[in-house]
């Protein structure tokens, strides 16, 4: 049941660099002038009392090596990164550790008569309050856990070794160092009840409930995320509520039937995408095993033939169906259903769908979650502050993180208190929003919002005098309704100054066919100015295909669903205005601009003077977003096959003003946290800026996405790309530059502590230094209003700053006010969003690049080879493969806010 393919791809060599020598910018306290109204907040953090801690902890390495007849495996690295394999490996390692601890109890006692709890990180790190001597040995085969047999087949011998790695100081400020935090984090997990929780890194899930989505038929598990970090003068444990959908353990054929509904199980793109990378377990072998699905094969068990060697040595050709009947005495019930493909490096194996079972404990990724499931998750996650903070207390109690007796922390004389941290915060002043008529009208209900009335004109209205087309997909509207919708939209645009004529729009009816849309779009190259698409829902592939063809043809597209267009037909100003704001920006216009908060003149004269240079045209705001590829299959990694799916880098930057954005994406090899080479893109951005403004920027503020403090020093080295670009674009050119890492996924939650219970903090809330990490120049901010649920703050940390020949470095209070103001500058909504617009735009640009890459793959399905990729998207082993991929996928739209 195996086929062979030649693959000349080469293994990617990962870079290992030490960044410990790098110094980050010094922390900076608040200035003397007010930047907003002072309030009190409560954080989702508990104080970790370390004042009586032992002097040091000790890190060891405990490695298990499994030896087979062919090779030797380190157990902690064996298998893929899939949830099912990861959980299996964790269970296996914990049982192996328990065997070693029991066998050598005296060795691990540290000279104490009582057993000293040790911390194990589910990999190979072992933490103890004392130093252990080296140890090695082997475990009898009869004592090996079943999980190890599932993970590695044919084990002849299992050896283990314990070695000392380092001493970790736990006194004074050393307890806030990264190695000490890792020790504390591992120790705090050790009392978690593994029979009630499923743990993935810093998250744990429990309590399953039925999911209402019949197309997935999964379960939704509630849980929490945990992290340890310094906050103000304390070491703190942060807990945040989490929900995640999981695949249900069931027969794979049942899963496919549930997904397909009334349709027959067959070779279709949606099903192939849904089961790709899903882990399943065989049920017909003497020793069943778990593997990751590559996809749906093109043939069924009656059609798939292969050569089999008989006991006599004779080679004969047989089918999969006959093989199962002959080998396993199993007559397949569904031999006409397509087979399931498993990849083993350059080999492919094929399994009947009916002998496979979906493995429990696998999370449903965002790309495989239906709209019904996503809506259900949002509803579950949207807990108001009183409910959320009560839930956090319950989760802390269940995980023994509420101050209860915790032997693993007590071994280091640590104690988690039941005291939640509080911090003061400033509700920073909001920027002034300006239209062509002057200051925008304030919203009477929400002070951070504004209105674009009928008389408010765009700062720079777009002009579109050429032919335009409105495609009505799958007859979701009549031609008359489509014409009326276009007329209502264009009237709203003309009221704001846009030069567009509805009679230039031609109504076209079309199916959702990829080829039909592609043929139409390419036939209009050089003829059409824009294409507007109306669809019944947002769940089909039309939106993705329009984005792909927009990039390939250079024709601006706009996608609208029936839910929104129904409001347009009713003449609702808000719906018409929002769509035309997007359309104006996509056509090259500017909707509004911002100015510094007017309150500064009254309350903070020094900041008011400094603010005059914040949004001038000599300053560039830039966003960089790294969108990582999904994990490569273990089979491909083991075979040294270079991963074809790229990491996508999104770049956005401002030109004439803070609300005028440009940008593009490019591809690089996956698995790298750093941007490997962006010099040419920075040079290009600087030249675009100079062409738009007449000069190069004197100040550059960069927002770069990140995840944790452990990345900061590495990310700061990306400044070298800017320095090289400066020297290339012009001699002696050295602007002032600041690089800020924006962390979206932190566990921070904050609530307004008003004395009568918790409520959401107002938009623009920014914690004072007592609520931030004292070792970094950082600020934690909520720019948007939380209408539902509890606000999730964004953590911003300055990782690099350099004074140039012109411009000036910004103080921390200036950065707070500027960052909050940039949350107002997306141009397509009349309220602040969670992120500053440069990084929000960079993320959307990166998503466009990722979308177009995947749309190209799906467009070729199922005519592609068994590798699952069209030839032009498959890694050819060349050093410039991702550069060629960038050229293949780049957009032809230039100097436009095409991602609006």
């Amino acid at each position: 049941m195996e086929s062979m393919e030649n693959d000349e791809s080469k293994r990617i060599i990962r870079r290992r660099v030490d960044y410990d020598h790098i110094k980050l910018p010094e922390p900076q306290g608040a200035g003397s002038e007010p930047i907003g109204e002072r309030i009190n907040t409560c954080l989702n953090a508990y104080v970790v009392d370390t004042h009586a801690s032992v002097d040091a902890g000790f890190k060891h390495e405990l490695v298990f090596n499994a030896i087979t007849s062919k090779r030797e495996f380190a157990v902690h690295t064996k298998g893929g990164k899939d949830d099912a394999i990861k959980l299996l490996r964790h269970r296996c390692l914990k049982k192996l550790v328990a065997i070693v601890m029991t066998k050598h109890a005296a060795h691990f006692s540290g000279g104490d008569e009582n057993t000293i709890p040790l911390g194990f990180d589910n990999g190979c790190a072992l933490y103890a309050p004392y130093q252990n001597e080296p140890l090695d040995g082997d475990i009898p085969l009869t004592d090996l856990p079943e999980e190890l047999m599932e993970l590695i087949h044919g084990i002849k011998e299992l050896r283990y070794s314990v070695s000392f790695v380092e001493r970790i100081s736990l006194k004074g400020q050393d307890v806030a160092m990264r190695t000490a935090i890792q020790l504390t984090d591992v120790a705090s997990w050790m009392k978690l009840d593994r029979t009630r929780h499923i743990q993935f890194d810093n998250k744990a899930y429990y309590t399953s409930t039925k999911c209402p989505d019949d197309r997935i038929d999964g379960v939704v598990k509630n849980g929490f995320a945990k992290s340890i970090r310094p906050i103000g003068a304390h070491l703190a444990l942060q807990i945040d509520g989490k929900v995640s959908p999981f695949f249900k353990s069931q027969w794979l054929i049942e899963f496919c039937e549930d997904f397909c509904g009334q349709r027959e199980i067959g070779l279709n793109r949606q099903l192939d995408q849904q089961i790709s990378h899903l882990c399943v377990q065989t049920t017909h072998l003497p020793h069943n095993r778990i593997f990751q699905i590559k996809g749906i094969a093109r043939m069924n068990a009656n059609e798939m033939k292969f050569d089999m060697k008989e006991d006599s040595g004779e080679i004969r050709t047989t089918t999969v169906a006959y093989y199962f009947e002959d080998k396993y005495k199993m007559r397949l019930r569904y031999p006409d259903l397509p087979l399931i493909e498993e990849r083993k490096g350059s080999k492919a194996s094929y399994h009947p769908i009916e002998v496979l079972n979906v493995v429990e404990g696998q999370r449903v990724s965002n790309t495989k979650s239906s709209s019904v499931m996503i809506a259900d998750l949002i509803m579950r996650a949207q807990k108001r502050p009183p409910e959320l903070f009560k839930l956090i207390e319950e989760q802390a109690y269940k995980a023994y993180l509420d101050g209860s007796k915790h032997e693993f922390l007590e071994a280091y004389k640590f104690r988690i208190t039941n005291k939640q941290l509080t911090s003061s915060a400033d509700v920073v002043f909001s920027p002034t929003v300006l239209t062509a008529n002057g200051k925008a009208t304030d919203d009477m209900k929400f002070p951070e919002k504004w209105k674009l009335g009928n008389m408010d004109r765009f700062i720079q209205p777009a002009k579109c005098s050429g032919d335009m087309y409105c495609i009505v997909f799958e007859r979701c509207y009549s031609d008359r309704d489509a014409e009326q919708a276009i007329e209502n939209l264009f009237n709203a645009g003309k009221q704001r100054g846009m030069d567009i004529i509805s009679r230039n729009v031609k109504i076209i009816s079309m199916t959702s066919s990829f080829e039909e849309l592609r043929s139409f779009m390419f036939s209009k190259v050089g003829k059409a100015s824009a294409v507007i698409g109306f669809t019944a829902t947002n769940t089909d592939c039309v939106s993705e295909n329009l984005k792909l063809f927009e990039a390939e043809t250079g024709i601006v597209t706009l996608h609208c669903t029936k839910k929104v267009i129904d409001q347009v037909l009713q003449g609702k100003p808000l719906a018409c205005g929002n769509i035309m704001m997007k359309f104006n920006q996509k056509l090259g216009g500017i909707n509004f601009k911002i100015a510094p908060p007017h309150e500064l003149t009254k309350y903070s004269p020094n900041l008011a003077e400094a603010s005059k240079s914040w949004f001038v045209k000599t300053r560039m705001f830039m966003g960089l977003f790294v969108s990582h590829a999904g994990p490569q299959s273990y089979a491909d990694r083991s075979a040294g096959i270079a991963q074809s799916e790229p990491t996508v880098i999104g770049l956005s930057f401002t030109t004439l003003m803070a609300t005028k954005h440009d940008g593009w994406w490019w591809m690089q090899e996956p698995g790298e946290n750093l941007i490997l080479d962006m010099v040419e893109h920075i040079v290009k951005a600087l030249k675009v800026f100079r062409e738009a403004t007449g000069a190069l920027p004197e100040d550059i503020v960069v927002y770069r996405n990140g995840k944790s403090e452990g990345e900061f020093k590495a990310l700061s080295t990306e400044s070298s790309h800017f320095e090289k670009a400066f020297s290339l674009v012009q001699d002696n050119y050295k602007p002032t530059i600041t690089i800020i890492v924006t962390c979206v996924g932190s566990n921070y939650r904050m609530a307004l502590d008003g004395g009568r219970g918790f409520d959401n903090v107002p938009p623009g809330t920014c914690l004072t230094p007592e609520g931030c990490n004292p070792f970094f120049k950082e600020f934690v901010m909520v720019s948007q209003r939380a209408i539902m649920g509890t606000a999730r703050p964004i953590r911003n940390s300055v990782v690099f700053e350099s004074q140039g020949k012109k411009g000036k470095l910004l103080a921390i209070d200036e950065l707070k006010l500027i960052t909050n103001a940039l949350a107002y500058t997306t141009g397509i909504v009349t309220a602040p969003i969670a992120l500053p617009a440069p990084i929000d735009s960079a993320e959307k640009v990166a998503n466009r690049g990722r979308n177009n890459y995947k749309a190209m793959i799906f467009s070729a399905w199922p005519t592609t080879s068994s590798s699952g990729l069209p030839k032009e998207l498959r890694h050819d082993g060349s050093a410039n493969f991702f550069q060629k991929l960038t050229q293949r996928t780049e957009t032809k739209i230039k100097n436009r806010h095409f991602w609006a």
Side-chain angles (χ1 to χ4, degrees):
M1 292 185 296
E2 295 184 349
S3 65
M4 297 291 292
E5 290 182 4
N6 293 324
D7 197 318
E8 298 178 355
S9 301
K10 299 177 181 178
R11 183 186 297 272
I12 295 174
I13 299 175
R14 302 297 178 205
R15 297 160 178 79
R16 296 288 182 268
V17 183
D18 181 13
Y19 299 105
D20 289 342
H21 64 284
I22 293 174
K23 290 187 177 181
L24 298 175
E26 291 294 324
Q28 188 178 84
S32 59
E33 292 185 329
I35 59 174
E37 179 187 357
R38 184 62 57 91
I39 61 173
N40 294 319
T41 66
C42 183
L43 306 181
N44 62 328
Y46 295 90
V47 173
V48 180
D49 185 358
T50 62
H51 79 278
S53 67
V54 299
D55 290 340
F58 298 84
K59 182 179 179 179
H60 305 80
E61 190 174 72
L62 172 55
V63 178
F64 296 93
N65 289 306
I67 301 170
T68 67
S69 57
K70 294 182 178 180
R71 56 177 297 186
E72 182 174 336
F73 300 95
V75 176
H76 70 277
T77 63
K78 176 61 177 168
K81 298 180 181 180
D82 321 284
D83 285 351
I85 300 297
K86 188 182 293 185
L87 290 175
L88 175 66
R89 187 166 56 241
H90 289 177
R91 292 195 302 270
C92 171
L93 286 167
K94 286 191 176 298
K95 289 186 177 181
L96 291 175
V97 170
I99 292 172
V100 173
M101 294 295 173
T102 302
K103 184 177 180 180
H104 302 282
H107 183 87
F108 291 104
S109 67
D112 196 311
E113 293 182 359
N114 300 316
T115 303
I116 301 295
L118 304 181
F120 181 64
D121 73 343
N122 293 328
C124 63
L126 189 70
Y127 294 95
Y130 50 83
Q131 181 175 338
N132 274 293
E133 294 299 320
L135 176 72
D136 57 65
D138 58 81
I139 299 176
L141 297 181
T142 54
D143 293 342
L144 297 183
E146 293 182 5
E147 289 85 350
L148 183 60
M149 301 306 183
E150 290 185 54
L151 192 65
I152 305 174
H153 297 282
I155 296 177
K156 303 294 185 182
E157 186 179 359
L158 185 77
R159 299 172 183 167
Y160 58 86
S161 63
V162 178
S163 57
F164 171 68
V165 177
E166 64 176 319
R167 180 185 185 274
I168 301 170
S169 174
L170 300 178
K171 283 297 186 182
Q173 289 192 347
D174 290 343
V175 78
M177 297 296 101
R178 189 181 179 195
T179 51
I181 288 176
Q182 289 171 339
L183 179 151
T184 310
D185 185 60
V186 170
S188 64
W189 276 121
M190 293 305 296
K191 205 169 179 180
L192 189 74
D193 186 350
R194 294 311 194 282
T195 64
R196 297 173 58 188
H197 294 86
I198 301 173
Q199 183 188 344
F200 298 103
D201 301 322
N202 71 324
K203 301 179 182 69
Y205 298 94
Y206 55 93
T207 312
S208 299
T209 55
K210 194 70 175 173
C211 175
D213 185 2
D214 294 333
R215 286 177 62 83
I216 298 292
D217 193 25
V219 293
V220 174
K221 296 181 185 293
N222 299 312
F224 67 94
K226 175 185 70 64
S227 59
I228 307 285
R229 74 187 310 259
I231 297 180
H234 306 281
L235 190 66
L237 179 145
Q238 288 183 299
I239 297 178
D240 188 19
K242 294 290 180 183
V243 292
S244 181
F246 282 71
F247 289 110
K248 186 174 68 174
S249 177
Q250 62 182 144
W251 289 102
L252 180 61
I253 191 170
E254 294 176 355
F255 174 90
C256 294
E257 288 173 343
D258 292 338
F259 181 82
C260 292
Q262 299 297 320
R263 299 172 298 164
E264 292 185 2
I265 298 175
L267 191 63
N268 71 78
R269 190 181 78 176
Q270 287 76 22
L271 180 59
D272 186 76
Q273 181 184 8
Q274 195 66 20
I275 69 172
S276 175
H277 297 102
L278 189 65
C279 283
V280 292
Q281 186 173 37
T282 60
T283 59
H284 62 285
L285 300 173
H287 297 286
N288 289 308
R289 61 187 184 85
I290 296 173
F291 70 89
Q292 187 185 72
I293 294 175
K294 177 67 177 180
I296 301 174
R298 300 178 198 171
M299 290 184 280
N300 60 38
N302 287 328
E303 297 168 336
M304 176 68 73
K305 297 180 179 180
F306 64 98
D307 292 336
M308 184 178 69
K309 188 176 182 179
E310 300 280 12
D311 293 338
S312 62
E314 179 185 356
I315 303 295
R316 67 182 178 89
T317 302
T318 186
T319 66
V320 171
Y322 182 81
Y323 174 82
F324 266 75
E325 187 172 354
D326 180 58
K327 175 78 172 178
Y328 303 112
K329 312 304 178 190
M330 178 188 298
R331 174 167 292 191
L332 297 179
R333 297 174 61 192
Y334 307 101
D336 294 330
L337 292 181
L339 296 167
I340 299 301
E341 181 181 351
E342 173 194 7
R343 296 291 293 183
K344 298 179 179 178
S346 59
K347 299 179 181 180
S349 296
Y350 300 90
H351 305 265
I353 192 172
E354 64 191 79
V355 302
L356 302 175
N357 194 71
V358 178
V359 179
E360 189 176 14
Q362 300 181 76
R363 289 170 291 184
V364 182
S365 65
N366 291 338
T367 57
K368 297 186 180 185
S369 298
S370 71
S371 58
V372 176
M373 175 170 281
I374 291 174
D376 179 65
L377 290 173
I378 292 174
M379 180 187 69
R380 292 171 184 271
Q382 288 176 342
K383 292 178 172 59
R384 299 287 293 177
E387 185 182 2
L388 176 64
F389 277 75
K390 181 180 178 180
L391 176 66
I392 288 172
E393 289 181 4
E394 294 174 356
Q395 291 166 335
Y397 171 77
K398 292 179 180 180
Y400 298 94
L401 299 174
D402 63 336
S404 304
K405 183 175 177 58
H406 199 299
E407 300 86 349
F408 297 90
L409 289 171
E410 290 172 1
Y412 303 95
K413 302 294 177 60
F414 289 168
R415 185 177 66 89
I416 298 175
T417 70
N418 58 6
K419 175 188 175 184
Q420 280 188 305
L421 277 175
T422 59
S423 174
S424 58
D426 293 310
V427 183
V428 302
F429 300 130
S430 302
T432 303
V433 179
L434 302 170
T435 67
N437 307 70
K439 186 177 182 298
T441 305
D442 292 332
D443 187 293
M444 300 305 294
K445 186 176 181 181
F446 300 110
E448 78 280 3
K449 295 187 68 175
W450 66 96
K451 296 179 180 178
L452 288 180
N454 292 335
M455 302 304 295
D456 288 325
R457 292 171 63 87
F458 293 145
I459 289 289
Q460 183 178 308
K463 179 179 181 180
C464 189
S465 56
D467 289 341
M468 289 179 279
Y469 294 86
C470 176
I471 304 176
V472 180
F473 290 93
E474 304 295 347
R475 302 177 63 84
C476 64
Y477 284 108
S478 65
D479 287 357
R480 178 178 296 181
D481 283 345
E483 290 172 358
Q484 185 62 56
I486 291 295
E487 184 175 349
N488 290 352
L489 287 171
F490 281 30
N491 285 340
K494 285 188 283 187
Q495 285 179 339
R496 288 162 176 78
M498 294 180 69
D499 186 359
I500 48 179
I501 304 174
S502 59
R503 65 172 178 268
N504 288 350
V505 180
K506 298 177 177 61
I507 309 298
I508 305 291
S509 293
M510 191 179 295
T511 68
S512 300
S513 165
F514 178 91
E515 288 301 330
E516 185 178 4
L517 178 58
R518 186 179 190 278
S519 176
F520 174 82
M521 290 290 291
F522 276 90
S523 71
K524 302 304 177 185
V525 173
K527 303 174 184 177
S529 300
V531 171
I532 303 172
F534 291 170
T535 60
T537 67
N538 202 26
T539 57
D540 54 30
C541 57
V542 170
S543 177
E544 286 72 21
N545 292 341
L546 279 172
K547 294 172 184 175
L548 172 63
F549 299 139
E550 178 184 72
E552 292 183 340
T553 64
I555 300 173
V556 171
T557 66
L558 181 68
H559 175 232
C560 305
T561 62
K562 193 174 188 300
K563 180 179 179 180
V564 177
I565 295 302
D566 283 348
Q567 298 179 46
V568 171
L569 286 170
Q570 296 170 24
K572 292 187 175 182
L574 183 61
C576 296
N578 286 344
I579 292 176
M580 295 314 291
M581 287 175 70
K582 291 184 65 174
F583 201 36
N584 187 57
Q585 290 202 157
K586 290 176 76 72
L587 292 173
I590 305 173
N591 295 337
F592 53 84
K593 63 181 180 180
I594 60 169
H598 62 83
E599 294 92 343
L600 293 178
T601 302
K602 180 178 180 180
Y603 298 107
S604 309
N606 292 329
L607 279 173
E609 182 64 28
S611 70
K612 294 178 181 179
S613 65
W614 288 354
F615 305 116
V616 294
K617 70 176 185 178
T618 56
R619 172 170 275 120
M620 171 194 279
F621 295 103
M622 179 180 287
L624 288 167
F625 191 91
V626 179
S627 171
H628 292 289
Q632 188 180 21
S633 70
Y634 176 70
D636 286 351
R637 283 193 294 116
S638 299
I641 297 175
Q643 189 172 357
S644 297
E645 183 179 359
T647 287
V648 184
I649 314 297
L651 165 70
S652 78
F653 57 95
T654 60
T655 53
L656 288 170
M657 58 189 71
T659 51
K660 177 64 173 176
H661 299 267
D662 201 343
W664 53 82
W665 66 79
W666 71 92
M667 317 291 195
Q668 73 173 31
E669 69 178 58
E672 295 287 349
N673 288 327
L674 294 180
I675 301 174
L676 300 181
D677 188 2
M678 56 175 163
V679 174
E680 66 173 295
H681 299 285
I682 298 171
V683 169
K684 180 180 174 182
L686 291 170
K687 289 181 177 179
V688 171
F689 185 97
R690 180 169 58 188
E691 184 177 348
T693 66
L696 292 169
E698 297 176 1
D699 294 89
I700 302 175
V701 179
V702 182
Y703 292 88
R704 204 302 199 173
N705 72 312
K707 290 185 178 181
S708 66
E709 292 97 335
E711 299 177 321
F712 288 176
K713 289 188 175 183
L715 294 181
S716 71
T717 64
E718 292 178 350
S719 60
S720 62
H721 298 265
F722 286 88
E723 292 167 352
K724 186 174 181 180
F726 298 157
S727 65
L728 291 175
V729 77
Q730 182 176 293
D731 291 340
N732 298 318
Y733 172 59
K734 186 182 179 183
T736 297
I737 180 171
T738 302
I739 300 178
I740 302 171
V741 173
T742 300
C743 298
V744 177
S746 71
N747 289 333
Y748 260 105
R749 293 294 185 113
M750 68 170 79
L752 179 64
D753 188 359
R756 297 183 180 179
F758 295 144
D759 199 356
N760 266 312
V761 295
T765 297
C766 188
L767 292 176
T768 58
E770 66 178 312
C772 301
N773 191 324
F775 297 98
F776 298 112
K777 185 177 180 179
E778 76 168 23
F779 53 100
V780 180
M781 174 173 283
V782 174
S783 295
Q784 84 285 14
R785 177 176 294 276
I787 303 298
M788 296 178 290
T790 301
R792 183 182 295 277
I794 305 301
R795 186 154 50 92
N796 300 279
S797 304
V798 180
V799 298
F800 180 83
E801 54 186 4
S802 174
Q803 175 63 52
K805 294 182 177 180
K806 292 184 177 181
K808 75 177 188 67
L809 291 175
L810 297 164
I812 193 73
D813 282 351
E814 291 183 277
L815 289 174
K816 293 175 183 178
L817 288 159
I818 288 172
T819 300
N820 184 61
L822 291 175
Y824 288 67
T825 62
T826 60
I828 60 173
V829 291
T830 57
I833 62 171
L835 293 167
I839 189 67
D840 177 73
S841 291
E843 180 179 11
K844 290 175 179 174
V845 170
N847 290 342
R848 278 294 183 100
R850 176 81 58 201
N851 168 85
N852 290 359
Y853 172 81
K854 291 185 175 180
M856 289 178 181
I857 296 174
F858 293 150
S859 68
W861 195 95
T863 59
T864 57
S865 69
S866 58
S867 70
L869 292 172
K871 184 177 180 180
E872 64 271 18
L873 300 182
R874 204 182 315 154
H875 204 304
D876 58 9
S878 61
N880 65 339
F881 168 75
F882 293 102
Q883 183 179 357
K884 293 185 293 185
L885 189 60
T886 298
Q887 296 168 354
R888 174 73 177 82
T889 61
E890 67 182 356
T891 181
K892 288 184 169 59
I893 296 181
K894 308 298 181 185
N895 305 325
R896 300 281 183 90
H897 194 153
F898 60 85
W899 59 91

